Amino acid sequence: MLKARDVTVRFGGVVAVGGMSIDVHAGEIVGLIGPNGAGKTTFINAVSGTYVPTQGTISWRDEDIVGHSPSRLARIGVGRTFQNVASLNDLTVLDVVKVGRSVHGHSRGLREFLCGSRADDEALTERLLEPLGLADHRHSPLQMLSYGHRKAVDIARALASEPDLLLLDEPVAGVAPAEAFALAGFVKQVRDLLGCAVVMVEHKMDVVMSTCDRVVVMAEGCKIFDGSGEAAQSDAEVRRVYLGD
Ligand SMILES: Nc1ncnc2c1ncn2[C@@H]1O[C@H](COP(=O)(O)OP(=O)(O)OP(=O)(O)O)[C@@H](O)[C@H]1O
Ligand SMILES: [Mg+2]
């Protein structure tokens, strides 16, 4: 579904991403891991249209998407969350999710899942906010919520846009362990039910290991490993640059 080849993103003299390639297939959850400054967020930003790569190609379902805006990408099924929670502070939880909903994707399965035949608010509350532990907060402004709940709202907002590819940038960073596993578990449940593909940047290895089907490791802007989580954990180079001995 997603095919990126030799993607390079430069900021002046800084090569943030240098020759990154990845394939993501329908229905798989890929963990994108690596040390701080490896280029993970920059790569996600390039795929989701925030940055235009200096070099390289990115295609989504065989369509060249380099230069597409984030909103255009959302409409064709590429949704994302943010490492630092976006500030829509005055809006209520339900309104933030509806902002996501206003950019319809293509996923018919997800649309049925979210709406059924009922009113939008009710369906969004039952299908997204309840499983993410947000139902009681649905009328609260975002600024009243804990950090963990705001991260959950960002996941709900991204899912509401009906993505076929969900890009998660550290969805559970700073979230307490029990909540983190619940958030990751819900993402996995949605994937199991609807078959969307997920790329998840995350430093918490226990969450990565329990959630992801495959792990891609980045270091200094490019890919140094692509394989199972178990194999990553025993790979000498991955241990040297990231997991550490
Ligand atoms: N807008 C920017 N301007 C200049 N340099 C940038 C910019 N964004 C990122 N960089 C640099 O690019 C490199 C990759 O950064 P990036 O944020 O993509 O790393 P990351 O893998 O997401 O790290 P972390 O795990 O800490 O989130 C870093 O050296 C960073 O300082
Ligand atoms: Mg990052």
Side-chain angles (χ1 to χ4, degrees):
M1 303 250 290
L2 178 75
K3 189 186 260 190
R5 287 292 174 277
D6 295 319
V7 171
T8 295
V9 182
R10 284 196 198 92
F11 299 108
V14 178
V15 180
V17 175
M20 175 66 185
S21 299
I22 194 173
D23 285 327
V24 180
H25 307 284
E28 70 173 342
I29 303 183
V30 177
L32 183 58
I33 65 173
N36 295 120
K40 305 179 297 295
T41 295
T42 306
F43 180 67
I44 294 288
N45 282 336
V47 173
S48 63
T50 308
Y51 297 145
V52 179
T54 322
Q55 234 172 276
T57 59
I58 308 174
S59 64
W60 165 245
R61 290 175 171 146
D62 297 325
E63 180 185 352
D64 174 9
I65 57 168
V66 168
H68 281 27
S69 68
S71 56
R72 184 169 171 197
L73 286 168
R75 282 196 298 277
I76 61 171
V78 179
R80 69 164 301 177
T81 66
F82 295 87
Q83 183 170 358
N84 299 304
V85 188
S87 53
L88 296 163
N89 272 332
D90 297 335
L91 297 186
T92 67
V93 168
L94 202 47
D95 284 341
V96 171
V97 173
K98 284 169 159 174
V99 168
R101 191 102 197 87
S102 66
V103 193
H104 282 300
H106 272 194
S107 172
R108 207 177 304 133
L110 198 46
R111 183 164 305 171
E112 274 163 26
F113 172 74
L114 290 175
C115 286
S117 56
R118 285 157 314 149
D120 227 29
D121 286 12
E122 197 185 314
L124 289 173
T125 300
E126 183 188 313
R127 292 301 171 99
L128 279 182
L129 300 184
E130 262 175 32
L132 288 166
L134 295 166
D136 292 343
H137 302 284
R138 64 189 182 281
H139 299 303
S140 305
L142 218 52
Q143 60 199 350
M144 302 294 288
L145 265 54
S146 69
Y147 183 77
H149 278 142
R150 296 215 311 275
K151 296 289 271 189
V153 173
D154 203 31
I155 295 175
R157 179 197 53 72
L159 280 171
S161 74
E162 302 171 6
D164 291 311
L165 172 65
L166 180 59
L167 305 164
L168 301 171
D169 195 359
E170 300 200 28
V172 300
V175 175
E179 268 179 82
F181 278 101
L183 287 184
F186 180 63
V187 169
K188 202 170 177 179
Q189 216 178 311
V190 169
R191 185 285 305 266
D192 291 346
L193 210 59
L194 303 164
C196 54
V198 179
V199 176
M200 181 166 95
V201 176
E202 190 48 63
H203 285 291
K204 285 190 170 138
M205 277 309 288
D206 46 359
V207 171
V208 170
M209 292 299 291
S210 66
T211 313
C212 300
D213 306 307
R214 178 159 67 93
V215 165
V216 171
V217 187
M218 281 183 83
E220 294 180 4
C222 54
K223 182 167 73 178
I224 61 160
F225 177 90
D226 189 338
S228 73
E230 289 75 19
Q233 285 187 313
S234 57
D235 183 86
E237 180 67 359
V238 174
R239 294 193 70 84
R240 190 180 67 77
V241 303
Y242 185 51
L243 298 176
D245 282 311

